[in-house]
Amino acid sequence: MEKLSSRSLALASASGYLVVSILIGTALVTTRKDEPQAQNTPYDYSTDYRTTTAWPTVTSRSTRTTTTTTEAVDYQLISGPSGLVTAIPDGWTVNQGDVATVQIARSGAWPGFELRFGGAPPEKPQLSLLQRISTAHEAKLGKNSYSMESLRDTTLHGYPGVKWSYTTAPNGVPQFCTGAWWEANGIEYVLFVVSPPSGRAQAEKMLNLMTTHAKP
């Protein structure tokens, strides 16, 4: 899988959390998606954090249940880098990502799916979050069959945010990727889901679960 580069937790969550780039301007909208294989797949994020401190993962003991429009989902709360808290489906295993500021959750029952989450100070704080993510988008153009589906300004729990969905094929493996970024207290956080192209509906539900229970 590709790497996300911290030139802003936005250079797209690729290779262990998020990746790299620069496109200044207005909210981009439109285009198509992609996703990785489980375990040993190349990352495809958009930000590369340079911190080397290892972040402990803490999983809550109790299982909780949240309800979507069509189903109930058992989940566990997880703590991650820079005070991040989010939720992942119950039973998924969390491991350190390729960079210290990103962690990855996988499940043998969901081959090709990965949930990535983390946070770190942005590399270019003088740029807006949308500009940093747009830069990540720009860096992917013409590579690995990348096709953007949407990239837009939003808010997450009252903080400035960006949602970005696209398809790609690192190492020839088609993937659907969808993520949410937001800034809080000088930290750029990201929640990112990778899935096979056929799993985009489930990927969006997982991202919704993660963002619904995200803190700060």
Side-chain angles (χ1 to χ4, degrees):
M1 308 177 72
E2 298 175 32
K3 283 190 177 182
L4 280 194
S5 171
S6 176
R7 294 186 182 180
S8 139
L9 254 174
L11 270 182
S13 295
S15 186
Y17 183 36
L18 319 106
V19 182
V20 186
S21 291
I22 255 186
L23 203 195
I24 300 174
T26 57
L28 297 148
V29 181
T30 55
T31 333
R32 296 236 112 203
K33 319 170 184 178
D34 43 15
E35 182 50 42
Q37 283 182 340
Q39 304 294 334
N40 300 314
T41 309
Y43 283 20
D44 201 321
Y45 289 21
S46 137
T47 299
D48 219 333
Y49 294 102
R50 312 211 170 179
T51 309
T52 55
T53 304
W55 296 93
T57 297
V58 179
T59 304
S60 64
R61 301 275 179 185
S62 58
T63 296
R64 312 180 182 201
T65 301
T66 191
T67 302
T68 65
T69 54
T70 57
E71 58 190 306
V73 178
D74 289 332
Y75 67 89
Q76 54 190 326
L77 293 178
I78 297 293
S79 62
S82 299
L84 174 66
V85 174
T86 189
I88 63 174
D90 190 39
W92 287 53
T93 300
V94 178
N95 292 297
Q96 180 63 57
D98 288 352
V99 293
T101 51
V102 176
Q103 293 175 331
I104 301 175
R106 300 186 181 96
S107 170
W110 292 80
F113 280 77
E114 287 187 1
L115 310 182
R116 306 169 189 170
F117 52 95
E123 184 179 297
K124 295 186 177 181
Q126 73 276 19
L127 298 180
S128 70
L129 180 60
L130 179 61
Q131 289 171 341
R132 295 196 298 267
I133 299 299
S134 294
T135 289
H137 152 73
E138 180 118 319
K140 290 179 174 294
L141 294 174
K143 302 174 183 177
N144 299 319
S145 301
Y146 169 78
S147 178
M148 182 183 72
E149 293 202 351
S150 68
L151 197 174
R152 63 184 177 81
D153 240 340
T154 186
T155 58
L156 185 62
H157 301 305
Y159 295 105
V162 171
K163 290 199 71 176
W164 182 19
S165 298
Y166 59 89
T167 54
T168 186
N171 292 345
V173 180
Q175 303 173 351
F176 169 65
C177 303
T178 183
W181 288 255
W182 73 100
E183 279 190 272
N185 305 316
I187 300 296
E188 183 179 311
Y189 293 98
V190 65
L191 302 174
F192 195 81
V193 181
V194 176
S195 77
S198 61
R200 67 181 58 203
Q202 292 88 345
E204 292 290 5
K205 288 179 182 178
M206 289 181 185
L207 181 62
N208 182 62
L209 171 69
M210 295 172 78
T211 57
T212 296
H213 300 284
K215 294 181 181 179

